[in-house]
Amino acid sequence: MNDVLKIVIADDNQIAVDMMKNRIEENDRYKVVGVAKDEEDEIKLINEIKPDLVITDIRKKNGWTGIDIIKQFENIENKPIFFVISACTENYIAEIRKLKIQYYLNKPYYFDELMRILNYIYSEVYPKAILNIKNEIKENKYTSLWSKIRSILKRIWIEYLIFYSYSLSVSSYKSSNVISKARQNPFIS
């Protein structure tokens, strides 16, 4: 797929970044091309990589805010889309609106919410790709996926049946073996 949304994540919480990155990259429409731990990294990555989207936290360690970063790119042509995720988004809502930031999410959040917003952003950036996906679904190109799923389920079912029949044969063998040994034992009448 050529239409991949290039994303930079800017957050100093490494655990949150790792979880977000793993979840985002489960979908092949998204690629995290950089992770910034502070405002200097964030500015450098945006200038060098030219991502489509920057997911940024508001609070930064060195006194800057995500709002300050967004203002740095306010008047630049072909600037990335900014998506603010922060525990203190509510405190900055007026500034977020003033900067015309459409996408923001309060921490803590559910990953489904994050993915819903990313899917919306993707549809805005690559509307033709969304149409192609819809057309492929209409043309049943995903029937091969469904047949793969059915094949896997069939194999699981067959393995279950083999295991079950093996269990039955082993248990019947053991019980018949015990009975025949009991008949051979002279101490049992």
Short mmCIF file of all heavy atoms in Angstrom, two decimals, residues 160-172:
data_model
loop_
_atom_site.label_atom_id
_atom_site.label_comp_id
_atom_site.label_asym_id
_atom_site.label_seq_id
_atom_site.Cartn_x
_atom_site.Cartn_y
_atom_site.Cartn_z
N TYR A 160 -8.43 -30.74 16.59
CA TYR A 160 -9.22 -31.06 17.77
C TYR A 160 -9.81 -32.47 17.64
O TYR A 160 -9.76 -33.27 18.57
CB TYR A 160 -10.35 -30.04 17.96
CG TYR A 160 -11.34 -30.45 19.00
CD1 TYR A 160 -11.05 -30.32 20.36
CD2 TYR A 160 -12.57 -30.98 18.65
CE1 TYR A 160 -11.96 -30.71 21.33
CE2 TYR A 160 -13.48 -31.38 19.61
CZ TYR A 160 -13.18 -31.24 20.95
OH TYR A 160 -14.08 -31.64 21.90
N LEU A 161 -10.36 -32.80 16.47
CA LEU A 161 -10.95 -34.13 16.27
C LEU A 161 -9.89 -35.22 16.39
O LEU A 161 -10.14 -36.27 16.98
CB LEU A 161 -11.64 -34.21 14.91
CG LEU A 161 -12.93 -33.40 14.78
CD1 LEU A 161 -13.45 -33.47 13.36
CD2 LEU A 161 -13.97 -33.87 15.77
N ILE A 162 -8.71 -34.97 15.82
CA ILE A 162 -7.63 -35.96 15.92
C ILE A 162 -7.24 -36.15 17.38
O ILE A 162 -7.10 -37.28 17.85
CB ILE A 162 -6.42 -35.52 15.07
CG1 ILE A 162 -6.76 -35.60 13.59
CG2 ILE A 162 -5.19 -36.35 15.40
CD1 ILE A 162 -5.74 -34.96 12.68
N PHE A 163 -7.07 -35.05 18.10
CA PHE A 163 -6.70 -35.15 19.50
C PHE A 163 -7.78 -35.88 20.29
O PHE A 163 -7.50 -36.74 21.11
CB PHE A 163 -6.48 -33.75 20.09
CG PHE A 163 -6.22 -33.78 21.57
CD1 PHE A 163 -4.98 -34.16 22.07
CD2 PHE A 163 -7.22 -33.44 22.46
CE1 PHE A 163 -4.75 -34.19 23.44
CE2 PHE A 163 -7.01 -33.47 23.83
CZ PHE A 163 -5.78 -33.85 24.31
N TYR A 164 -9.04 -35.55 20.02
CA TYR A 164 -10.15 -36.16 20.74
C TYR A 164 -10.21 -37.66 20.45
O TYR A 164 -10.35 -38.48 21.34
CB TYR A 164 -11.47 -35.48 20.36
CG TYR A 164 -12.66 -36.01 21.09
CD1 TYR A 164 -12.86 -35.71 22.44
CD2 TYR A 164 -13.57 -36.83 20.45
CE1 TYR A 164 -13.96 -36.21 23.12
CE2 TYR A 164 -14.67 -37.33 21.13
CZ TYR A 164 -14.86 -37.02 22.46
OH TYR A 164 -15.94 -37.52 23.13
N SER A 165 -10.09 -38.03 19.18
CA SER A 165 -10.15 -39.46 18.84
C SER A 165 -8.94 -40.19 19.41
O SER A 165 -9.04 -41.34 19.85
CB SER A 165 -10.25 -39.67 17.33
OG SER A 165 -9.10 -39.18 16.69
N TYR A 166 -7.78 -39.55 19.43
CA TYR A 166 -6.60 -40.15 20.03
C TYR A 166 -6.83 -40.37 21.52
O TYR A 166 -6.51 -41.43 22.06
CB TYR A 166 -5.37 -39.26 19.81
CG TYR A 166 -4.15 -39.75 20.52
CD1 TYR A 166 -3.43 -40.85 20.05
CD2 TYR A 166 -3.71 -39.14 21.68
CE1 TYR A 166 -2.31 -41.31 20.72
CE2 TYR A 166 -2.58 -39.60 22.35
CZ TYR A 166 -1.89 -40.68 21.88
OH TYR A 166 -0.79 -41.13 22.54
N SER A 167 -7.42 -39.37 22.18
CA SER A 167 -7.71 -39.50 23.61
C SER A 167 -8.64 -40.67 23.87
O SER A 167 -8.46 -41.44 24.82
CB SER A 167 -8.34 -38.22 24.16
OG SER A 167 -7.47 -37.16 24.01
N LEU A 168 -9.65 -40.80 23.02
CA LEU A 168 -10.60 -41.91 23.19
C LEU A 168 -9.91 -43.25 22.97
O LEU A 168 -10.13 -44.20 23.72
CB LEU A 168 -11.77 -41.76 22.21
CG LEU A 168 -12.80 -40.70 22.57
CD1 LEU A 168 -13.85 -40.61 21.46
CD2 LEU A 168 -13.46 -41.02 23.89
N SER A 169 -9.08 -43.32 21.94
CA SER A 169 -8.43 -44.59 21.65
C SER A 169 -7.44 -44.96 22.76
O SER A 169 -7.32 -46.12 23.13
CB SER A 169 -7.73 -44.56 20.29
OG SER A 169 -6.68 -43.64 20.29
N VAL A 170 -6.73 -43.99 23.30
CA VAL A 170 -5.80 -44.25 24.39
C VAL A 170 -6.56 -44.72 25.62
O VAL A 170 -6.18 -45.71 26.25
CB VAL A 170 -4.94 -43.01 24.70
CG1 VAL A 170 -4.21 -43.16 26.02
CG2 VAL A 170 -3.96 -42.75 23.58
N SER A 171 -7.65 -44.03 25.95
CA SER A 171 -8.40 -44.43 27.14
C SER A 171 -9.06 -45.79 26.95
O SER A 171 -9.10 -46.60 27.86
CB SER A 171 -9.44 -43.37 27.52
OG SER A 171 -10.42 -43.26 26.51
N SER A 172 -9.57 -46.09 25.73
CA SER A 172 -10.17 -47.41 25.52
C SER A 172 -9.08 -48.49 25.50
O SER A 172 -9.29 -49.59 25.97
CB SER A 172 -10.99 -47.44 24.23
OG SER A 172 -10.16 -47.25 23.11
#
